Amino acid sequence: MSRPTPLVAGNWKMNGLRAALAEITGMGQAYDAGLKSKLELLICPPAILIGAAADVARGTGIAIGAQDCHAKADGAHTGDIAAEMVADAGGSFIIVGHSERRADHGESDAVVHAKAQAAVRAGLKAIICVGETEAERRAGKTLDVVGRQLDGSIPASLTAANLVVAYEPVWAIGTGLTPTAADVAEVHAFIRQRLGQIIGKEAGGVRLLYGGSVKPSNAAELMGVPNVDGALVGGASLKASDFMAIAGVYR
Ligand code: 13P
């Protein structure tokens, strides 16, 4: 199977007021025809900005997404947002199972699995996140942990068209630390192979993103690793200049 079109995605987490939407305008200006032919760009702002971000991004080619959703389509779930609402607001992707949701909100693999199904039910693409903690890596359990998360979180019916997997080692998120290229290569090859057991032949076309302290200075090395089909970027996605410098490695 030919290599999938890379995806560089920004996860703004709980950052950004309406004024920050100007960064999306700046990204759109820098996302020229040459870059558009090489990769897809996505920004996942806080939920309350999804509709406004989709308006700002219209015509730029930049996709907008959510950082989470509820598994159900509607109902008595105060404070939650359905995948259908993300779609209605103009979103096209939903990040599910980010380690911050798993840790802060106790989300299990089963919950992540249900949320991924919800995203696809609403016609959107699910970005399912996996990754080990520092203690798990030190104990040599990285592949065990990632394998268990993949098995539990990924619905077998997903395809290359609606599934993206992000490998985000918890210890690399927001710390400035990154795994070596060899470590990323090992985990991504493992994810590709395990995905084959879960979803079959479609696994070859699924984008596998690396996330955790991606910045302009390390993006070329990380994006050059086999089986890395893009990045999930936190802090460096808040500024158009940094985010577009990362995307620029695909030029
Ligand atoms: P940082 O790029 O800030 O390390 O965050 C990574 C991340 O968690 C993206 O989802």
Side-chain angles (χ1 to χ4, degrees):
M1 194 174 293
S2 59
R3 277 198 84 168
T5 302
L7 171 67
V8 172
N11 173 10
W12 281 9
K13 310 190 180 185
M14 200 173 74
N15 296 294
L17 303 177
R18 278 183 296 169
L21 297 173
E23 297 299 326
I24 297 177
T25 304
M27 292 169 190
Q29 284 160 356
Y31 190 35
D32 57 34
L35 268 185
K36 281 180 186 159
S37 71
K38 299 276 174 58
L39 83 162
E40 286 182 46
L41 288 184
L42 165 68
I43 292 292
C44 298
I48 199 162
L49 288 181
I50 290 172
D55 288 343
V56 167
R58 191 162 299 120
T60 65
I62 298 174
I64 300 298
Q67 302 169 14
D68 178 45
C69 67
H70 195 278
K72 299 249 172 70
D74 51 41
H77 303 288
T78 302
D80 277 314
I81 291 165
E84 283 76 2
M85 295 169 184
V86 175
D88 186 50
S92 50
F93 287 80
I94 304 182
I95 298 169
V96 296
H98 191 283
S99 60
E100 288 152 17
R101 303 268 341 153
R102 291 176 185 264
D104 298 353
H105 299 271
E107 291 189 7
S108 64
D109 289 330
V111 166
V112 176
H113 185 282
K115 291 183 174 194
Q117 272 179 322
V120 172
R121 178 190 68 221
L124 308 184
K125 295 165 192 165
I127 301 178
I128 300 179
C129 303
V130 297
E132 82 286 1
T133 63
E134 185 178 14
E136 289 162 344
R137 176 160 283 270
R138 284 230 192 96
K141 292 187 184 149
T142 296
L143 299 185
D144 287 348
V145 169
V146 169
R148 207 176 330 116
Q149 290 173 332
L150 293 168
D151 290 347
S153 307
I154 299 184
S157 58
L158 266 51
T159 67
N162 58 26
L163 171 63
V164 176
V165 176
Y167 169 55
E168 297 206 313
V170 176
W171 53 273
I173 295 175
T175 58
L177 302 172
T178 53
T180 64
D183 287 339
V184 174
E186 181 192 27
V187 178
H188 277 238
F190 170 79
I191 292 173
R192 182 83 67 199
Q193 177 260 332
R194 191 68 158 248
L195 257 186
Q197 293 170 12
I198 303 169
I199 68 167
K201 281 206 297 289
E202 287 285 320
V206 172
R207 268 89 62 95
L208 306 186
L209 311 185
Y210 168 77
S213 297
V214 177
K215 49 192 180 214
S217 59
N218 61 21
E221 185 186 12
L222 290 164
M223 298 305 100
V225 172
N227 286 302
V228 173
D229 310 304
L232 183 53
V233 186
S237 71
L238 296 171
K239 286 268 160 280
S241 53
D242 287 342
F243 189 64
M244 296 313 293
I246 292 166
V249 306
Y250 284 105
R251 193 178 283 286

